[in-house]
């Protein structure tokens, strides 16, 4: 069979729509790509394969998936053959039209009419999904398959797992047929424009801007933003400390002080009973306790075993440690309060006590977010990872095995697959990581008190 390589695929088309320079770099200057971000990698590689699970909505299909990422021509040929043989359900059906290649997750024939289903691991239809599907519609219909309807299959965030996963309840099918048809003129003109970028092999002139992060983070930002970042650093302000504000903030704290930090895991498809798609499951906490201004610093913590649902034991132990009085200091209260509210919803027997705890939460990030304490080396960020090295240079995450919350989350979700020895070692690393987060808050508050 004669075979010509495709010019655009769904991903390269998407890159080009976001920024023609991104498409050009992807095709001709891949060496400029940012180094791989391990924590992003961790999120994408964890959890159940949503696409595979969604095939259960239409069981008994034939699979046109290519044997490897370089053999999509085989997938196109297989799809053609399946259709000719009268297949009614095709997974990973692949088509090519005038140099544009597209696969669709599931193609289903009902009463002689075809419907296309594209699976997304989000909990709703997003704008870029419609453009993806519009490109798929263009390629499929021009390949001679008339589509009766086009659906995005996404996760249903109301679904609560009880027992085995129920795929019919886990997924929602949303028709986007009308939106997809409306986009056809745009798709046709973009294909012409982007094919020209590939044919010309000339770097397009595009300034950096909001499009660099929208709708997806571009993977060439290190290269494009290099000089911009230097310029911004030159013009940043001097250190600023609003002592009056800080003294009021400190005055509002009540001893005993509890410094609390949660770590959590997220599963797109719920792996734990009584949880929902993308629910953040708290798996551990660290708690530093200072009973009075000059008392010794105490520490308590909890970490799930990675094998069972950690939530109820976590709540019981946390409530016992927190008692009934004293400020509970966190960094970025939205995260901790959201986890506490979810615990109250899922374990209503503790609801009253959990809401009493929420009333006592104080967010140590606020003075930094409001720039009442500002330092140019925070680099316009108020993450604890940026603030800590400036205010308390002696304390650092760099000596720890785990230095990042996303990695901590991945390691926890992998505990169940480890040997007992490896699990013990990883649990020790997780405890140390979380402990440093609360110790960092202790030291940052000490520094605020001094100024
Ligand atoms: S960083 Fe911005 S300008 Fe550079 S290629 Fe990516 S999207 Fe385009």
């Amino acid at each position: 069979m004669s075979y010509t390589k495709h010019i655009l695929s769904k991903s390269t088309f998407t890159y080009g729509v976001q920024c023609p320079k991104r498409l050009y770099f992807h095709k001709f200057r891949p060496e400029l790509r940012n180094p791989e971000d391990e924590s992003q990698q961790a999120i994408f590689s964890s959890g159940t394969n949503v696409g595979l699970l969604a095939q259960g909505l239409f069981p008994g299909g034939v699979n046109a998936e290519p044997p490897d990422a370089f053999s999509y021509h085989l997938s196109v040929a297989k799809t053609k053959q399946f259709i000719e043989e009268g297949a009614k359900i095709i997974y990973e059906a692949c088509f090519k039209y005038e140099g544009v290649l597209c696969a669709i997750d599931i193609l289903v024939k009902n009463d002689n009419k075809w419907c296309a289903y594209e699976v997304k691991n989000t909990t709703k239809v997003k704008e870029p999904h419609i453009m993806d599907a519009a490109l798929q519609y263009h390629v499929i219909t021009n390949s001679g398959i008339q589509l009766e309807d086009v659906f995005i299959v996404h996760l249903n965030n109301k679904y609560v797992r009880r027992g085995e996963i129920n795929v019919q309840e886990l997924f929602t099918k949303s028709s986007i047929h009308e939106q997809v048809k409306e986009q056809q003129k745009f798709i046709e003109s973009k294909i012409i424009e982007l094919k020209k970028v590939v044919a010309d092999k000339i770097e397009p002139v595009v300034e950096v801007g909001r499009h660099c992060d929208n709708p997806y983070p571009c993977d060439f930002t290190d290269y494009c933003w290099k000089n911009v970042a230097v310029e911004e650093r030159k013009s940043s302000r001097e250190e600023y400390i609003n002592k009056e504000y800080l003294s009021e903030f400190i005055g509002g704290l009540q001893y005993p002080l509890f410094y609390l930090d949660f770590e959590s895991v997220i599963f797109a498809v719920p792996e734990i009973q009584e949880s929902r798609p993308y629910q953040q499951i708290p798996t551990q906490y660290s708690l530093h306790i200072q009973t009075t201004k000059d008392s010794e610093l105490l520490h308590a913590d909890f970490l799930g075993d990675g094998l069972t649902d950690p939530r109820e034991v976590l709540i019981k132990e946390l409530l016992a440690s927190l008692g009934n009085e004293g400020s509970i200091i966190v960094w970025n209260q939205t995260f901790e309060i959201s986890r506490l509210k979810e615990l109250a919803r899922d374990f209503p027997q503790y609801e009253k006590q959990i809401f009493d705890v929420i009333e006592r939460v104080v967010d140590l990030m606020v003075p930094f977010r409001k720039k009442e304490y500002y330092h140019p080396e925070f680099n316009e960020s108020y993450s604890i990872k940026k603030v800590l090295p400036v205010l308390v240079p002696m304390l650092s995450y760099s000596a720890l095995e785990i230095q990042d919350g996303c990695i901590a989350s991945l390691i926890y979700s992998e505990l169940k697959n480890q040997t007992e020895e490896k699990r013990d070692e990883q649990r020790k690393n997780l405890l140390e990581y979380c402990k440093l987060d609360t110790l960092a808050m202790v030291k940052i508050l000490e520094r605020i008190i001094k100024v």
Side-chain angles (χ1 to χ4, degrees), residues 18-19 21-22 25 206-208 211-212 218 220-221 224-225:
Q18 179 174 4
C19 170
K21 193 148 100 177
R22 184 177 185 192
F25 283 163
V206 184
E207 294 298 324
V208 294
H211 63 277
C212 298
C218 173
F220 294 96
T221 46
C224 290
W225 283 82

Side-chain angles (χ1 to χ4, degrees), residues 195-403:
K195 277 184 176 172
K196 191 168 175 333
V197 170
V198 178
D200 288 354
K201 298 188 182 165
I202 299 167
E203 182 178 321
V205 180
V206 184
E207 294 298 324
V208 294
R210 292 181 67 183
H211 63 277
C212 298
D213 208 30
N214 185 19
Y216 303 106
C218 173
D219 44 1
F220 294 96
T221 46
D222 285 3
Y223 177 78
C224 290
W225 283 82
K226 201 170 43 191
N227 299 328
V228 181
V230 169
E231 275 311 303
E232 278 180 359
R233 271 204 300 278
K234 277 188 201 158
S235 60
S236 56
R237 293 194 283 145
E238 295 298 309
E239 185 180 41
Y240 170 74
I241 302 173
N242 183 342
K243 291 189 180 173
E244 203 179 321
Y245 174 91
L246 293 178
S247 125
E248 252 179 61
F249 180 85
I250 296 159
L253 299 176
Q254 285 179 2
Y255 283 87
L257 299 182
F258 298 92
Y259 301 81
L260 173 66
D261 183 59
F262 283 138
E263 297 299 329
S264 64
V265 282
I266 307 179
F267 299 109
V269 176
E271 290 193 7
I272 291 178
Q273 297 298 327
E274 295 292 330
S275 70
R276 299 150 196 249
Y278 284 105
Q279 181 170 340
Q280 301 229 19
I281 308 283
T283 52
Q284 74 176 111
Y285 68 76
S286 169
L287 191 66
H288 272 97
I289 307 163
Q290 193 143 32
T291 319
T292 63
K293 200 161 174 274
D294 305 309
S295 67
E296 189 193 343
L297 193 61
L298 306 173
H299 184 251
D301 55 17
F302 170 86
L303 172 60
D305 60 8
L307 307 170
T308 52
D309 184 351
R311 291 174 295 174
E312 189 165 5
V313 187
L314 179 147
I315 306 168
K316 276 190 190 166
E317 293 199 8
L318 181 63
L319 291 174
S321 296
L322 289 174
N324 298 321
E325 55 176 15
S327 299
I328 299 168
I329 299 170
V330 300
W331 192 277
N332 187 8
Q333 66 176 23
T334 315
F335 180 78
E336 265 73 21
I337 290 181
S338 301
R339 300 299 75 77
L340 286 165
K341 285 184 175 170
E342 286 155 8
L343 288 169
R345 178 197 62 197
D346 296 336
F347 298 88
Q349 62 273 38
Y350 304 102
E351 187 180 354
K352 161 90 179 64
Q353 285 164 279
I354 293 175
F355 275 91
D356 288 347
V357 160
I358 291 174
E359 289 292 305
R360 293 158 55 197
V361 168
V362 177
D363 192 346
L364 184 57
M365 188 176 80
V366 169
F368 300 94
R369 183 166 49 84
K370 289 187 169 175
K371 293 192 164 56
E372 302 295 356
Y373 196 141
Y374 173 84
H375 194 288
E377 285 174 29
F378 295 161
N379 276 333
E380 299 302 318
S381 163
Y382 33 85
S383 134
I384 197 162
K385 306 277 187 308
K386 293 280 185 215
V387 172
L388 181 70
V390 181
L391 265 57
V392 194
M394 301 298 286
L395 203 58
S396 155
Y397 286 83
S398 60
L400 296 182
E401 281 294 320
I402 301 170
Q403 301 172 13

